[in-house]
Amino acid sequence: MLKTVTFTLMHFCIAFGVAYALTGSIAVGGLVAAVEPLCNSVGFYFHEKIWKRFEKAGTPAREIPKHAWLHHHA
């Protein structure tokens, strides 16, 4: 979650800088900087969750030692 927060802060600064450079307006820069990174960060959070599922599905299952059969019935 810390990665998402730091990404959001960085993105906020970049979005403000770009919007301000394009419009010359602090109000528009602030509005764009507040809305766009927030939406992008929510998307990033779910993107990471989806990728973790794909990564998890790609890892082969570990073989259970024969002496541990009692603990792995499920």
Side-chain angles (χ1 to χ4, degrees):
M1 189 66 168
L2 180 60
K3 181 180 176 182
T4 303
V5 171
T6 57
F7 176 79
T8 302
L9 291 173
M10 179 195 67
H11 199 117
F12 175 85
C13 293
I14 292 170
F16 177 82
V18 170
Y20 179 73
L22 291 174
T23 65
S25 169
I26 291 176
V28 171
L31 183 61
V32 169
V35 174
E36 194 273 337
L38 180 62
C39 295
N40 198 7
S41 295
V42 170
F44 176 76
Y45 174 77
F46 288 108
H47 180 264
E48 287 287 307
K49 288 183 72 94
I50 291 167
W51 267 106
K52 284 184 182 180
R53 285 187 183 176
F54 281 115
E55 291 171 348
K56 190 175 184 181
T59 29
R62 292 187 302 154
E63 188 174 323
I64 300 170
K66 293 184 182 190
H67 69 276
W69 66 271
L70 182 62
H71 302 286
H72 300 281
H73 281 288

